[in-house]
Structure formats: C-alpha cells, structure tokens
Amino acid sequence: QVQLVESGGGSVQAGGSLRLSCAASGGTFSTYVMGWFRQAPGKEREFVASIVRLAGRTWYADSVKARFTISRDNSKNTVALQMDNLKPEDTAVYYCAASRDGNARIESNYDYWGQGTQVTVST
C-alpha cells in the first residue's frame, strides 16, 4: 500500500508560480509511474502531467505545456510539479497519483491517490 501526501498548494495571482510536492511512503517508489491530476469546481478530474519510473519521459496536458514541469527524486520518494505563469483556469484541487503500469495519462490506470491540495489563482 502506497501513501501519498501533497503539499505546496495555496493562493497566487495570475502570472505567479507555485511548486507542489508529493511525498510517497509504503512502497517501492521508483517502480511507480507518478502523475498529477486536477479537479476544478463542477468539472471532472483531468490529467495534468506524469513522469516515468526513472525520471526520463514526461507527458503534459496541452493546457499546461511550457508552463508546468514535473520532476521526481527517487532517492527521496518525492515528485514535484513546478507551476509557472499560472492562470485563473488553473484553479483546482491538485492530486498526486501512483500507477503500477499502463498509460500514464489515463486516470483509471492509477492505483493510489493523495488527498489533494488546493491551488487558487486570482486575476
């Protein structure tokens, strides 16, 4: 069983930056694909970014490309999401997730989820 705990959320003005972090415990972190998803009020949860086990390949939703950067540190069992040039439409609860296998962009392929952290971007 893997436990995931997100941190780093908060409120920021448009154009600002935030860095989310997710700490994992209870499993072999390096064997999991790690992803970030988000859910805005009244909307379904959506894929944001993911990174493969050995911190090589990454994927991003089109809406965050060139603004967000996902990274992982397998020695510290952490995954981070650096968010720059934030926009009001980035406002959502952000979730960290771990997947044993499968397409890293599909929510149903993820086995473990954190509790989420709120990000609010104001104009």
Side-chain angles (χ1 to χ4, degrees):
Q1 189 78 6
V2 175
Q3 292 81 43
L4 302 172
V5 179
E6 302 98 335
S7 61
S11 298
V12 65
Q13 288 190 323
S17 298
L18 282 174
R19 184 177 178 86
L20 305 182
S21 184
C22 174
S25 61
T28 305
F29 180 75
S30 61
T31 65
Y32 290 90
V33 173
M34 299 300 298
W36 287 95
F37 291 75
R38 67 186 182 186
Q39 187 168 22
K43 296 187 177 181
E44 293 187 350
R45 189 156 57 186
E46 64 176 4
F47 169 78
V48 175
S50 60
I51 186 167
V52 298
R53 297 166 180 85
L54 296 179
R57 189 169 181 181
T58 57
W59 289 267
Y60 295 94
D62 288 343
S63 59
V64 306
K65 276 181 183 176
R67 299 188 300 120
F68 290 12
T69 303
I70 188 171
S71 61
R72 67 189 294 164
D73 186 338
N74 289 338
S75 68
K76 297 181 179 178
N77 290 358
T78 58
V79 60
L81 185 69
Q82 177 67 39
M83 306 185 294
D84 298 317
N85 190 22
L86 282 159
K87 303 176 180 181
E89 50 264 43
D90 295 318
T91 295
V93 177
Y94 283 71
Y95 297 90
C96 172
S99 171
R100 286 187 289 257
D101 209 350
N103 189 312
R105 286 163 286 188
I106 298 178
E107 181 179 346
S108 60
N109 283 336
Y110 284 80
D111 306 288
Y112 304 102
W113 293 82
Q115 81 289 350
T117 186
Q118 177 71 46
V119 171
T120 303
V121 184
S122 59
T123 56

